[in-house]
Structures are given as structure tokens and as C-alpha cells.
Amino acid sequence: MFEIVAEKGRARAGVVRVGNITLETPAFLPVATKACIKTITPFEAKEAGCKAIIVNALHIYRRVYDIVCRIGLHNFMKWDGIIFTDSGGFQSIKKFPAFVDEEGVIFKMPDGKEEIFTPEKSMEVQRNIGSDFFFALDDCPSYPYGKERVKKAVERTIKWAERCQGERCFAILQGGVYEDLRRYCIEKILPMNFFGFAIGGLCIGEPKEEMHKIVDITTKILPKEKPRHLMGVGSPEDIIECVNKGIDIFDSAFPTRNARHGTIFTSKGKINLGKKKVKGDVIDEECSCYTCKNFSLDYLNYLFKEKEPLGMRLATIHNLYFINDLMRKLREEIVEG
Amino acid sequence: MFEIVAEKGRARAGVVRVGNITLETPAFLPVATKACIKTITPFEAKEAGCKAIIVNALHIYRRVYDIVCRIGLHNFMKWDGIIFTDSGGFQSIKKFPAFVDEEGVIFKMPDGKEEIFTPEKSMEVQRNIGSDFFFALDDCPSYPYGKERVKKAVERTIKWAERCQGERCFAILQGGVYEDLRRYCIEKILPMNFFGFAIGGLCIGEPKEEMHKIVDITTKILPKEKPRHLMGVGSPEDIIECVNKGIDIFDSAFPTRNARHGTIFTSKGKINLGKKKVKGDVIDEECSCYTCKNFSLDYLNYLFKEKEPLGMRLATIHNLYFINDLMRKLREEIVEG
């Protein structure tokens, strides 16, 4: 169930409730592709304010399917929050032994054997590993693309969506930067039985204005009463803008990847760590994360200079806290009008 | 002050007391060369049972001397335990822009400028950065070496030791695998004013029997009432054997480096992580470290398979806990007779 508790313009504050699960929105999901948020423990993620994460089902299937089926993904990685799982469709745009055809996503197992994620297989795997929320299998063409390729992807995504429907599943909407294809995809998928709708195929290289235009169009058409997920968006500015357009849930590797490369978000803007000119005691005066409470900017900067892995981890904790805190503030603003 | 509280054969249980500082021996110091135990926080090191660490003074001098002089090493790295500092002599055997001559250790600063650690300069730096225990500047030839080179190193080490004497300083004894040179070095350095004596120049490639032979000879000559430090030894078997020969303090990168490469110590022997055949729920039944309490062997093994940095960190915590627990048990055995 998804309930909207407050609105401000097009922005919404909501609650996702399924069984014991409660997720206040707007919410951000860090990426834990391989059942691990890179460099940090699940306990640290929780302390940094994370309530839900997104794991790649295809990766789990290829690497540790047996054991995860047996004990469940939550137990395997010791995460007691909410788990969303990616369907495997996204793999089509990654360097990975995978490609897409009419049947589904074809990939190689570590032993070289070819296998296929059909829509049904992707759902089965996501269910078997104990995910809380699934994504439908989609075809996500890599950028730059031609309109013909995107059109084919939309047709496939619609056909596959039909076979993925379910009460815990988000449909994925494709259509690239093409308004007509986006509208067509939405029109076909809207009547289907999904928990919510995810905007896919953005933030993969297209100009930022195009991304915002498509989010704008899409959120205007989507039904109010269902949660809206935007895939791949994770910068503070983009999140703020997209919350104001009516997005409820985000997932992205942006905050964690930036952290590992030494870029942290602060209340006064970005800091690029590992540089001589970065100096000071306090990392971010307004932040109460584990890193800011315990370490100085000088030390964190030094760790990056020296390429000490501890630096990546402390920066990851900080960036996740920063983004989660941003989500909390955005929600507060909406609730308070 | 060093007090022996119990003896069993040649093994000793002691207490180092200086100011507010108390260190029960036998004790193990993990290596925090760059003011960071690789991959873990100082809080995790403490939770894993670490009471004292060893930092490289030359590294601090080359990289962050100004700030560390100003706020102190403890504050800079947020470690409230005991800090031992390496003099810089060890650099002579590392790939590093440093070499040794009669005057001291010559090295390049990051800007290319040449500088020198004379014995006095090394002491001054160790004092200025706020170390609790210093090591005298020594000349440690790299292995394999000829007897002539080691003889020269011994002469230098003796001359330099004279200029490093002090109540918080450990002398370093050199002499390679040569009994006569070792005896000569000890004879000359013993009368000097040092807090304790460290056996240097071992565990750098020589056969293990030679290492044990030299430790045996040395501990038989050293005065009972002063603490004995063995540099570079850190495997569980070697630690046990050397405690039984009368060593009080050890420092080594062995447990942490092994952890990062996926080798963990357990009550049932070593496990090499990242391998297909490694399976199971419990990492080490007899271990109560953070890693063993919170994660499964399957997950830890999987993290190494996937080269997830979290694995290195969890393994580091485990290995340090294991070694510290070993030290505790060894002490208990000595105290209980």
C-alpha cells in the first residue's frame, strides 16, 4: 500500500506499507549491487539513515544463488531493512557478458554456460532470493541510441511488463529522450497491475535537460496514488528538482561512487578530497554523521592523499548520511507545507 | 617503568607503566605506518583489543608534520591508546626514496628536497609528534646481506644509539644472523640509558631457524628487568615461540596484511578466503570478534571472491582480535603458572 500524507505543489510525502515494511518517501536507496554497499557494513548504512537498498538480482543469481535462496538475501548480507531488486534489464547497458533479445536478457554464468532471464525467470529469481520489492524485466538501450532501437526497447519492455505484473513489483518505463515513445510506453503499462512505476533509461549519458523534461512529462501522466521511482538519479540537486516534480523514490550509485573517488557533499557544497588546498578541522558543521562526529577534515583529506581505504569508507558514510538527511528535510518541508 | 608480574620458564607477564599509560605484556602492536591501521578505524582497533600501535615517524614527517606537531598524533588519528613510533631506520630496507650513510637516513621530501634523519633529528621528530615510545635510529640492512655490510650496520647502530638514549626510548639491536655481531651489538648497547631493547633486522627474509636462534641468544643476554620488543614478528606460531623465549612486545604487519589478502587465523588454523571450497555459517566458533558475531563465513568468503573492500576490513578486525586474544591467553597462562 502507498499512502500520500502531504503534498506541496507536485511534491509528495508518502508512506509505503507492505506487511511489516514501512518506508517514508521521498526516499533514497543506495546501490548494493553485489549484496554489499561498497566499503561499509549494513549497520553503518542503517546508522547513516538508510532504510532500503537496491541489489542486483542477476548478480546474485550468477554468483551465490543457492545459498541466498536457502537463507534469504536479508540474512545473507545481514541487512534488516527493505530490499529492492533490479531485474537484470539494466545489465544490457553495462560491460558485462549479457545482451538482450526478444526472449529476455542472455548472459553467461561464471562457468561459461549461457542462461536467459525471461520476464518470468527474473520474477522467480527476485522472489526466491527474498526481495521485498521487484522490478519488471526491461530493455534499457545504452546511450547514445537511435530512435529505432529505443522503439524496439519500448515494445519489448511493454510485452515483458505484462508478464511481470504483481503486487510487489514496479514496472519500468522506457522510451529514452523521446516524448512520443515515453507517452506510448506509459499508456500501455499504466493499466497493468503494478505496485508502482519506475522511470528507467535516464541518467545514462543524455543531456540533463532531457532527463528533467522526461521526468516532468512522466510524473504529470502517472496516477497520483502509486509510488514513482526514478532510477539512476542521486545528486543532491537532481533529487531536489525531481522530488519537486513528484518523484517518491530514487536509487543511484552517485553518492557512494563519488565518496570512493573523494568527492563529498556538504552543506556548503562539494569538497574534493586528497588535495593540498583542503584544510580544516570540521568536515561539515551541519552534519552529525559518524565521520563528521569522529574525524577531522584534515585527517579525511590526508587519508585520500595517501590512498588509505579507510578514507573511502568514511566518505561513503558521510555522503549517505547527507543524502538521507536531505530526503528527511525534503519530506519535512512537504509535510509542513 | 616495567614490572614483571609473573614468569613461567623464560616467558614473562609484565606491565609497562609510564604516566597514565599502562600496557600489559606480552602485547602485540598492529602497524599503522601512515597513522592508520589499513581499512579500519581506531575505534574498531580498540574493540578488537588493541592497546598500542606503531606509526612510522618518517612517514609522518614527510607528509603531515606541521599539523601533527600542532595537534599531536593521537588527536590527528583519533587513537587514544599508546603510540610507539618507528625511527625511520627501517626505511633503508624498503622501496622508498631513502638510503643510509654515516650521518643518518637520507630521504626525499614530496617536493624532491633531500633531508636527513640524524639520530637527534629522529628523536626530535618522534617527540614533536607526540609519540609515547620512541625507537632509536638504526641501520637495518636488507636481506640478503654480507657480513661486512651487517658489521657496518652494527657499528652505526651503536654510535647512533648513544645519541638517542632516553627514558621512553627503545634501543634497536642489529647484527643480522651473525651471533658474534649480535653479541657485540648487545654488549655495547646494554649499558646505555634505554627504556627497553628491541631486536631489529629479523623477519626480513632470513630462514626462520636463524630468526629463532638470534631471538634465543639475545633474550638470554638481555637484562630481565627491561621490556624486550621483537620487530617484525606477527604470526601466531612465531609469537608463541618467542613469548616462550622471553619476548614482551611484538609489532608486525603480518595479521593485517594477511587479512587484506584474505588469510584469516582461526582456532582451527588458517582459512584462505575467496575460494570456492570455503563454506559454512560460522567463521570461528571460538571467536567473539565483531566480524564473527555479525557475519557468516559464506558472506565473508563471498566478499573476497567479489573483491569487495568490506571483506578486507572484516578480515582485519578478525585477525587483530585473534592475535590480541592470543596475547591475552598467553599472559593468562604465564600468570596462572
Side-chain angles (χ1 to χ4, degrees):
Chain A
M1 204 197 70
F2 177 64
E3 190 190 340
I4 294 174
V5 298
E7 286 173 280
K8 186 185 171 192
R10 291 161 63 195
R12 312 121 57 88
V15 188
V16 171
R17 274 201 201 89
V18 175
N20 294 327
I21 294 167
T22 302
L23 177 65
E24 297 196 331
T25 62
F28 174 81
L29 321 183
V31 160
T33 306
K34 299 179 175 184
C36 175
I37 302 173
K38 282 195 183 298
T39 77
I40 69 168
T41 65
F43 314 109
E44 284 168 331
K46 209 172 178 183
E47 202 192 324
C50 299
K51 305 273 193 240
I53 61 173
I54 182 162
V55 175
N56 189 304
L58 181 54
H59 178 86
I60 299 298
Y61 181 74
R62 289 182 73 245
R63 308 297 281 173
V64 274
Y65 192 47
D66 286 358
I67 179 168
V68 174
C69 281
R70 202 168 70 237
I71 66 171
L73 192 47
H74 293 79
N75 192 18
F76 178 63
M77 64 181 291
K78 296 291 184 284
W79 169 253
D80 63 4
I82 303 167
I83 298 179
F84 287 65
T85 40
D86 225 342
S87 58
F90 183 63
Q91 298 307 331
S92 49
I93 68 159
K94 302 278 268 188
K95 270 183 203 151
F96 190 84
F99 64 95
V100 180
D101 79 357
E102 286 304 309
E103 306 305 314
V105 175
I106 297 160
F107 54 93
K108 283 201 170 133
M109 294 298 279
D111 64 5
K113 223 183 94 204
E114 210 168 79
E115 292 211 21
I116 182 163
F117 261 26
T118 60
E120 289 78 10
K121 178 76 180 180
S122 176
M123 290 300 107
E124 178 196 317
V125 169
Q126 293 182 67
R127 208 176 301 115
N128 285 350
I129 62 181
S131 168
D132 297 306
F133 291 104
F134 316 151
F135 284 97
L137 191 69
D138 63 327
D139 179 6
C140 179
S142 61
Y143 189 88
Y145 38 59
K147 195 164 179 179
E148 275 313 297
R149 173 66 186 93
V150 177
K151 198 168 173 231
K152 194 153 82 176
V154 165
E155 293 294 0
R156 275 179 189 155
T157 297
I158 294 168
K159 271 203 292 183
W160 293 353
E162 244 187 296
R163 295 155 62 189
C164 289
Q165 298 176 68
E167 57 172 11
R168 296 231 182 166
C169 190
F170 283 76
I172 299 182
L173 306 168
Q174 290 293 347
V177 296
Y178 309 106
E179 204 181 315
D180 54 339
L181 293 180
R182 285 278 169 186
R183 287 185 187 277
Y184 173 71
C185 188
I186 296 167
E187 183 193 321
K188 293 292 181 190
I189 288 179
L190 273 204
M192 299 182 193
N193 175 31
F194 282 106
F195 182 80
F197 298 98
I199 311 176
L202 293 180
C203 266
I204 56 174
E206 77 286 350
K208 198 152 263 199
E209 315 83 70
E210 302 277 357
M211 183 270 277
H212 284 293
K213 186 191 76 184
I214 297 299
V215 170
D216 196 56
I217 294 164
T218 306
T219 49
K220 278 179 180 155
I221 313 174
L222 287 176
K224 269 191 145 186
E225 67 278 11
K226 293 210 168 175
R228 300 144 176 190
H229 185 119
L230 178 54
M231 308 188 92
V233 166
S235 78
E237 317 82 61
D238 287 341
I239 285 177
I240 293 169
E241 200 164 332
C242 294
V243 162
N244 287 330
K245 289 191 174 111
I247 296 292
D248 305 301
I249 309 171
F250 299 83
D251 79 85
S252 168
F254 192 86
T256 45
R257 197 194 302 121
N258 268 274
R260 295 198 304 282
H261 290 110
T263 300
I264 54 168
F265 316 139
T266 78
S267 54
K268 285 178 182 149
K270 275 186 204 170
I271 299 178
N272 293 313
L273 298 164
K275 309 278 185 241
K276 213 173 171 179
K277 61 175 182 187
V278 175
K279 278 193 180 108
D281 187 29
V282 181
I283 301 168
D284 184 354
E285 274 175 13
E286 295 179 22
C287 182
S288 339
C289 81
Y290 173 86
T291 304
C292 287
K293 276 190 300 188
N294 287 297
F295 297 94
S296 66
L297 180 58
D298 285 322
Y299 188 64
L300 187 61
N301 191 51
Y302 164 79
L303 291 176
F304 272 92
K305 261 194 204 156
E306 299 302 321
K307 299 187 175 44
E308 281 288 347
L310 179 62
M312 299 203 282
R313 168 184 165 197
L314 295 178
T316 299
I317 291 173
H318 171 81
N319 273 3
L320 285 180
Y321 186 97
F322 183 92
I323 291 287
N324 288 323
D325 203 46
L326 172 68
M327 305 317 285
R328 193 188 51 74
K329 284 177 190 157
L330 288 170
R331 192 174 203 274
E332 221 169 74
E333 277 174 30
I334 300 166
V335 170
E336 289 172 0
Chain B
M1 205 195 75
F2 177 64
E3 190 190 341
I4 294 174
V5 298
E7 287 173 281
K8 185 184 170 192
R10 291 161 64 197
R12 312 119 58 87
V15 188
V16 171
R17 272 200 201 89
V18 176
N20 293 326
I21 293 167
T22 302
L23 177 65
E24 296 195 331
T25 61
F28 174 80
L29 321 183
V31 160
T33 306
K34 300 180 176 184
C36 175
I37 301 173
K38 281 194 182 300
T39 77
I40 70 167
T41 65
F43 314 109
E44 284 168 333
K46 210 172 175 180
E47 201 192 323
C50 300
K51 305 274 192 242
I53 61 173
I54 182 163
V55 175
N56 189 302
L58 181 54
H59 177 85
I60 299 298
Y61 181 74
R62 289 182 73 246
R63 308 297 283 172
V64 273
Y65 192 47
D66 286 358
I67 180 166
V68 174
C69 281
R70 203 168 71 239
I71 66 170
L73 193 47
H74 293 79
N75 192 17
F76 178 64
M77 64 180 293
K78 296 293 183 286
W79 168 253
D80 63 3
I82 303 167
I83 298 179
F84 287 64
T85 41
D86 225 341
S87 57
F90 183 63
Q91 299 307 331
S92 49
I93 68 160
K94 303 278 269 189
K95 270 181 204 153
F96 190 82
F99 64 95
V100 180
D101 79 358
E102 286 305 307
E103 306 305 314
V105 175
I106 296 159
F107 54 93
K108 283 202 171 131
M109 294 296 280
D111 65 4
K113 223 184 94 202
E114 211 169 78
E115 292 210 23
I116 182 164
F117 261 25
T118 60
E120 289 79 9
K121 178 74 180 180
S122 176
M123 290 300 107
E124 179 196 317
V125 169
Q126 293 183 65
R127 207 176 300 114
N128 285 350
I129 62 181
S131 168
D132 297 307
F133 291 104
F134 316 151
F135 285 97
L137 191 69
D138 63 327
D139 179 6
C140 179
S142 62
Y143 190 87
Y145 39 60
K147 196 165 180 181
E148 274 313 298
R149 172 68 187 93
V150 177
K151 197 166 173 235
K152 193 154 82 177
V154 165
E155 293 294 359
R156 276 180 190 155
T157 297
I158 293 167
K159 270 202 293 181
W160 293 353
E162 244 188 296
R163 295 155 62 187
C164 289
Q165 298 175 68
E167 58 172 10
R168 295 230 184 168
C169 190
F170 283 76
I172 299 182
L173 306 167
Q174 291 292 346
V177 296
Y178 309 107
E179 204 179 316
D180 54 340
L181 293 181
R182 285 277 168 187
R183 287 187 187 277
Y184 172 71
C185 188
I186 296 168
E187 183 194 318
K188 292 293 181 188
I189 287 179
L190 273 205
M192 299 181 193
N193 175 31
F194 283 106
F195 182 81
F197 298 97
I199 310 177
L202 293 179
C203 264
I204 57 175
E206 78 286 349
K208 198 150 265 199
E209 314 83 70
E210 301 278 356
M211 183 271 279
H212 284 294
K213 185 191 76 184
I214 297 299
V215 171
D216 196 57
I217 294 165
T218 306
T219 49
K220 278 180 180 155
I221 313 175
L222 287 177
K224 268 192 147 185
E225 68 278 11
K226 293 211 169 175
R228 299 143 177 191
H229 185 120
L230 178 55
M231 307 188 92
V233 165
S235 79
E237 316 82 62
D238 286 341
I239 285 177
I240 294 169
E241 199 163 333
C242 294
V243 162
N244 287 330
K245 289 193 174 107
I247 295 293
D248 305 302
I249 309 171
F250 299 83
D251 80 84
S252 168
F254 192 87
T256 46
R257 197 193 302 120
N258 267 275
R260 294 198 305 281
H261 290 111
T263 301
I264 54 168
F265 316 139
T266 78
S267 54
K268 286 178 181 149
K270 273 187 205 170
I271 299 178
N272 292 314
L273 297 164
K275 309 279 184 239
K276 212 172 172 180
K277 61 175 184 189
V278 175
K279 277 193 180 110
D281 188 27
V282 181
I283 301 168
D284 184 355
E285 274 175 13
E286 295 180 23
C287 182
S288 340
C289 81
Y290 174 86
T291 304
C292 287
K293 275 191 302 189
N294 287 297
F295 297 93
S296 66
L297 179 58
D298 284 323
Y299 188 64
L300 187 61
N301 191 51
Y302 165 78
L303 291 177
F304 272 93
K305 260 194 205 156
E306 299 301 321
K307 298 186 176 43
E308 281 288 347
L310 179 62
M312 298 202 284
R313 170 184 164 196
L314 295 179
T316 299
I317 292 173
H318 171 82
N319 273 4
L320 285 180
Y321 186 97
F322 183 92
I323 291 288
N324 288 322
D325 203 46
L326 171 67
M327 305 317 286
R328 192 187 52 75
K329 285 177 190 157
L330 287 170
R331 193 174 202 274
E332 221 170 74
E333 277 173 30
I334 300 166
V335 170
E336 289 171 1

